[in-house]
Amino acid sequence: MMMTQHFETRLEAYYRLILLSFLNDRPGRQANSHLAQLWFAHIHAPIGMDKLRTVAHWLHEQQLITLTPLGEHLEGYVLTQHGQEVAEGTSTVPGVARVIPE
């Protein structure tokens, strides 16, 4: 039970970093939830829309992204300055995986 909980915690942290990194690489540092979900699938880390929204809302609460409802099933995400710093590895936030240096 403890090992599963630890794995889930680390997986959440990586999902958060993946979303921040994705936004950091997008024009205008913004995207919608559908594009983000496609990116997760593209990098072989498929994520359900409910899980993606949980990740995005957590990042929004930490002021790492702004979040805008774009309809019943779509959200817009924009990376904040602090979110960019975390995505680039110049700042850290507990709960977000750290960038691995190249």
Side-chain angles (χ1 to χ4, degrees):
M1 179 80 157
M2 181 67 150
M3 185 172 230
T4 301
Q5 189 175 28
H6 179 69
F7 176 77
E8 288 295 321
T9 301
R10 291 192 64 171
L11 187 59
E12 286 280 328
Y14 280 105
Y15 282 155
R16 293 167 183 156
L17 178 61
I18 290 168
L19 184 53
L20 292 176
S21 297
F22 167 70
L23 292 172
N24 195 43
D25 290 340
R26 298 283 307 154
R29 294 188 171 80
Q30 60 186 348
N32 65 47
S33 52
H34 180 71
L35 288 175
Q37 189 179 35
L38 289 173
W39 176 251
F40 274 87
H42 175 74
I43 63 167
H44 304 286
I47 188 171
M49 191 57 75
D50 287 342
K51 175 60 84 176
L52 177 59
R53 286 189 174 146
T54 299
V55 168
H57 283 256
W58 187 93
L59 293 170
H60 177 69
E61 289 171 5
Q62 307 308 309
Q63 300 179 342
L64 300 174
I65 67 171
T66 61
L67 191 149
T68 305
L70 300 175
E72 187 176 343
H73 302 289
L74 194 63
E75 295 176 330
Y77 309 136
V78 179
L79 194 63
T80 65
Q81 180 64 41
H82 188 53
Q84 181 181 352
E85 292 167 0
V86 173
E88 293 175 352
T90 58
S91 183
T92 60
V93 171
V96 179
R98 295 188 66 160
V99 174
I100 299 170
E102 294 182 23

